[in-house]
Amino acid sequence: MDDWRLRGQDEYLKNATLHKIVFPDFWEKAYAEKNAFYREIELTAHRFVDAAQRGAENLEGERIRFFWHDHCEFCWEKVMTDYEVEFYCTSDMRTWICKKCFEDFQEPFHWKLDLSNEWLK
Ligand SMILES: [Zn+2]
């Protein structure tokens, strides 16, 4: 398959299990439950503020969401928590894939979709 978005991702994403993520709902649930996604962002935010030695006011409440963003592993489209978008991610939340790339590559990569809510604690 010849596609500008492919750069050897099959080495680590073949047969991966992915989870469908819809923002901003996913963030609102994370914030309410203080789940693993929330805790990941919280950690990033605190590290950033500690390193910068300022901006502590940005750690209050939902503001920490603005410390996080990521990019589609294939086309580099940006994903953030505060606008409506559908993405897919791996269970460790390290790899994010936009809807278009998910649809284009689901078959050749043999991705399995986990639609349960059990993976994120
Ligand atoms: Zn993409």
Side-chain angles (χ1 to χ4, degrees):
M1 195 158 56
D2 189 19
D3 190 301
W4 66 272
R5 294 169 293 177
L6 293 173
R7 299 175 302 274
Q9 293 97 329
D10 54 325
E11 286 171 25
Y12 56 94
L13 279 178
K14 206 121 199 193
N15 304 311
T17 298
L18 299 178
H19 309 275
K20 181 182 173 180
I21 307 294
V22 178
F23 285 115
D25 298 15
F26 185 71
W27 165 257
E28 280 154 21
K29 186 173 184 293
Y31 185 69
E33 295 177 358
K34 304 289 185 277
N35 66 18
F37 182 67
Y38 173 86
R39 294 194 304 272
E40 169 109 358
I41 293 181
E42 187 182 40
L43 193 66
T44 304
H46 281 264
R47 278 190 188 138
F48 186 89
V49 167
D50 285 351
Q53 295 193 318
R54 61 190 172 87
E57 68 278 10
N58 297 316
L59 298 175
E60 284 166 26
E62 289 201 61
R63 286 191 198 178
I64 65 162
R65 71 196 297 176
F66 298 114
F67 285 92
W68 182 87
H69 75 269
D70 215 314
H71 294 271
C72 173
E73 191 73 5
F74 292 86
C75 74
W76 214 241
E77 183 177 313
K78 194 172 183 180
V79 56
M80 298 173 74
T81 61
D82 63 331
Y83 59 78
E84 274 183 49
V85 70
E86 180 180 319
F87 259 71
Y88 294 80
C89 76
T90 50
S91 298
D92 63 4
M93 295 179 284
R94 299 278 173 230
T95 304
W96 294 77
I97 299 163
C98 76
K99 184 171 190 272
K100 169 92 171 71
C101 292
F102 174 81
E103 285 167 357
D104 289 350
F105 299 126
Q106 182 177 20
E107 235 174 81
F109 278 75
H110 302 112
W111 287 328
K112 290 176 286 290
L113 197 54
D114 177 7
L115 292 170
S116 80
N117 288 317
E118 301 306 308
W119 65 283
L120 191 66
K121 294 290 172 199

